[in-house]
Amino acid sequence: MPEGQRPRPQPTPETMHFWEGTKAGELRLQRCNSCRKVYFPPRPFCPHCASREVSVFRASGKGRLYSYVIAIAVVELDEGPRLMTNIVECPQTPEALILDMPLEVAFEKMDDEITLPLFRPAKG
Ligand SMILES: [Zn+2]
């Protein structure tokens, strides 16, 4: 893999709503209709209570830096679930990457099918 190139995700029927969402500029999560918990990554049943009554909704796109190693970050979304991603528009240094820093989603188009949800420091 060339330096700096991100691995290309492979959409599946279970994750299609997510990739359709990023393409449309929306971060989509799933919520269980039974226990109301929000979860990620996408799956057709609730990881908490196994209910198959789940719905897709548009997340705020806001979260906080939960952890990282240089180039790979884990963002805890305001809605609760954690997402593995990259931080952009920010130096990749321990001085700039501060745990719990507020972030917001920044969509980056990879090709016609895939748009990646990356995160940048929140403005304001
Ligand atoms: Zn549930």
Side-chain angles (χ1 to χ4, degrees), residues 18-26 107 109 111-115:
F18 182 79
W19 297 114
E20 289 293 320
T22 59
K23 197 158 58 172
E26 296 185 3
F107 294 101
K109 185 174 177 178
D111 56 36
D112 283 344
E113 190 179 19
I114 293 293
T115 298

Side-chain angles (χ1 to χ4, degrees), residues 32-37 46-51:
C32 174
N33 295 345
S34 301
C35 72
R36 308 303 297 169
K37 288 206 170 84
C46 172
H48 305 285
C49 73
S51 169

